[in-house]
Amino acid sequence: MTHSGQNPTQKQTSLPPATNNNSPPVPALPKKSSPLVAILLLLVAMLSLQGGASLAKTLFPVVGPQGVTALRLGIGSILLLLYFRPWRLKMRGGNLRSLLMYGLALGCMNYSFYLALRTVPLGIAVALEFTGPLAVAMFSSRRPVDFVWVVLAVAGLLFLLPIGQSAGGVDLKGACFALIAGACWAIYILAGQRAGSSYGPGTAAMGSLIAALIFFPIGVIQAKTSIFSWEILPLGLLIALLTSAIPYSLEMMALTKLPAKTFGTLMSMEPAMAALSGIIFLGEFLTGSQWLGLAAIIAASAGSTLTIQRKTKIETVDVPGNNPSGK
């Protein structure tokens, strides 16, 4: 997933700065660094995220997707809590419902995405999940050009979903789980924007904690074997680092040097990065029609980002949470 749980649309949305002096510093590139460095960091972040997703899938035979969800949310929450230390932040509060929705959507997104990966190639799962933030971006504007992106997105889905003879062997149940993850991603964006306006940078840690409190016990119970063995825990820590800490830090650094539209357009490459990771690490080769579907969704996402009507000036990079998705 994109994850580090975020998306181009959410990153283009300005959030009020936190009203405190205890917030951890946001990673930033030197002022004189080239934008090419920021682009390189962003590409590394996407590779880290999708590489972590590939590693997570290799653990399915051992603990199942539910166990992997528990590991990622549990360890990821600890890492975010240690970094953001929300108990030291002065937060305005008053938007508890949005915070709860944000955490629930984050947990459901991870849970559904990993269930999808049981039977769907990584690249296709990420592309289908991308329809969530893509829908949020397209519904934010009403210009005629936006219908072009809608048509492209629908065309991509027709190539990817198991309909008729163009399915390319994609499992229907797995595809539905990926689309559910996309819907949760959309809710995550909208709820995160509202919660972030009240809770500032602490939103990421608290939302992840809420997700872990709900889905960690479920994952532990449904796991094929105990996730607390010394053979599995180090891999869980590596997955959390690859899918959360590393891409989050690199994306924040890239954001300080790239315009929002450029950032969002580059992030639209995520499904292609996922497909590449699936080929290299999992041997998941795609058919020609599946590549066409991926290309259509990438084009729709990039186009909607470039033509979005909302202001794209970033006033702060206190954006809530990493993926969401946990790819």
Side-chain angles (χ1 to χ4, degrees), residues 2-3 5-13 15 98 101-102 105-106 109 129-137 182-196 310 319-320 324:
T2 143
H3 12 268
Q6 300 186 1
N7 56 82
T9 304
Q10 184 183 2
K11 288 180 182 298
Q12 291 174 3
T13 304
L15 294 177
S98 294
M101 285 297 298
Y102 172 77
L106 173 61
M109 179 172 54
E129 187 192 31
F130 236 66
T131 57
L134 179 57
V136 174
C184 292
W185 196 352
I187 296 172
Y188 166 92
I189 295 168
L190 299 174
Q193 289 172 349
R194 293 189 177 186
R310 291 181 301 180
V319 183

Side-chain angles (χ1 to χ4, degrees), residues 163-297:
I163 300 173
Q165 299 301 315
S166 62
V170 176
D171 176 66
L172 175 60
K173 185 177 180 180
C176 288
F177 275 125
L179 291 174
I180 291 172
C184 292
W185 196 352
I187 296 172
Y188 166 92
I189 295 168
L190 299 174
Q193 289 172 349
R194 293 189 177 186
S197 65
S198 295
Y199 298 97
T203 308
M206 292 188 295
S208 184
L209 177 60
I210 291 170
L213 289 175
I214 298 173
F215 287 92
F216 183 81
I218 296 175
V220 170
I221 294 172
Q222 295 181 338
K224 293 183 178 180
T225 186
S226 174
I227 66 173
F228 299 106
S229 67
W230 288 112
E231 293 80 11
I232 295 175
L233 282 177
L235 292 176
L237 176 60
L238 182 58
I239 290 171
L241 288 171
L242 289 173
T243 59
S244 294
I246 294 176
Y248 177 82
S249 300
L250 295 180
E251 288 172 8
M252 289 298 99
M253 292 173 68
L255 261 175
T256 63
K257 296 296 293 184
L258 294 177
K261 282 189 177 182
T262 303
F263 185 94
T265 304
L266 289 171
M267 286 295 292
S268 300
M269 296 171 55
E270 194 97 49
M273 287 291 188
L276 180 62
S277 178
I279 291 173
I280 294 174
F281 299 112
L282 302 172
E284 296 177 340
F285 294 92
L286 305 182
T287 65
S289 63
Q290 290 170 346
W291 278 112
L292 285 175
L294 257 70
I297 290 178

